[in-house]
Each structure stands twice: as structure tokens, then as C-alpha cells.
Amino acid sequence: MHEVTASQFVPRSKPTVLRRLTPEAMVTYEGSFDVREVHDEGAETVVVVGARGVEFALRFRTREDGLRYEQAGEAGPFDAMETTVTVEPADGGVTVTARSAVSLGLPLASLTDRVAAWKRRGELERALDALAADV
């Protein structure tokens, strides 16, 4: 798996940012897939997402400092994908950091996973920009 990180300062309080950081909002902020269905499974929220003929589930777990989520099952674009979004106090606001590890499960993993991670970093940066604009 290849890992990527994106961070952004947001001039708002931690509770304000955490209220906006929902599973559905995170999918929307990333901008690659549409939310098709949301349901709770105990401590997890499952969000079914899709676009252009692909549909898969993401499993979200809310944390005290943000979210953790992963692709559920084998139907998605990745062999494996897991992401953690944290909100930490910073001078005059918070720093929101998104860390993601991805693998396509294809031959030449050092190359293909790097390309997948590059695309994933773009999604994370877009999500953090959208979150900052939304609060």
C-alpha cells in the first residue's frame, strides 16, 4: 500500500469542524462519487457510493478527533483503501489532516499504487478545501 497525506488549516473551532465532518459530507467533499445510501451498523456507518457504473461501500467509524473509513469488500476501485481524518487544535483554528493508504492489487504495485495514491491525494486535498469552504 502507498500512503499519502494532506493537511489544511481551518480558522474555526474543533467542534464546528467536527459537526461538518460526517461520512456523507466526506464523500461529497472528495467529489469522485455520489452518495447512494447510508445506514448504521452498530458503531459504524456504511455509505454506499457510486459513479459511472461502479458502486461500492465505505465503512466509517467516528472518532473523538475525526473519522476513519475504509473500502468495504472487493467491489470498489481499490484492492484496499483506508483513510483517517483528524482535527487538531491550532493557533486560531484547527488543522485538519487526512492520511490515506491505497493499493490497487495490480502487478507492478510500486508504480500502480503510486498512481492510485497520487489520485487519492487529489481527492483528499479537494475534500479539505471543500470542508474549509463549508464551515
Side-chain angles (χ1 to χ4, degrees):
M1 291 182 70
H2 197 81
E3 295 184 19
V4 293
T5 301
S7 291
Q8 175 142 351
F9 174 78
V10 179
R12 298 285 184 262
S13 71
K14 184 174 179 178
T16 298
V17 173
L18 287 173
R19 274 193 298 276
R20 295 286 194 186
L21 193 59
T22 66
E24 304 89 75
M26 192 63 196
V27 171
T28 301
Y29 292 154
E30 286 181 11
S32 294
F33 299 99
D34 296 321
V35 174
R36 301 240 170 111
E37 180 183 330
V38 179
H39 61 275
D40 290 326
E41 290 185 1
E44 295 182 331
T45 300
V46 176
V47 180
V48 178
V49 302
R52 297 175 305 249
V54 65
E55 186 173 278
F56 62 99
L58 297 170
R59 291 192 169 279
F60 284 81
R61 183 173 290 270
T62 301
R63 301 163 28 128
E64 185 176 301
D65 63 347
L67 293 172
R68 182 186 185 292
Y69 59 105
E70 62 189 6
Q71 178 181 292
E74 299 177 13
F78 302 107
D79 182 51
M81 184 279 295
E82 55 191 47
T83 302
T84 303
V85 182
T86 57
V87 180
E88 297 298 331
D91 190 28
V94 296
T95 299
V96 183
T97 302
R99 291 180 176 81
S100 193
V102 296
S103 174
L104 293 176
L106 297 173
L108 300 171
S110 64
L111 176 62
T112 58
D113 287 357
R114 185 171 296 166
V115 171
W118 170 80
K119 182 180 183 324
R120 186 73 182 128
R121 179 181 287 124
E123 290 172 335
L124 297 177
E125 290 171 348
R126 185 170 49 239
L128 297 182
D129 287 344
L131 172 63
D134 195 29
V135 294

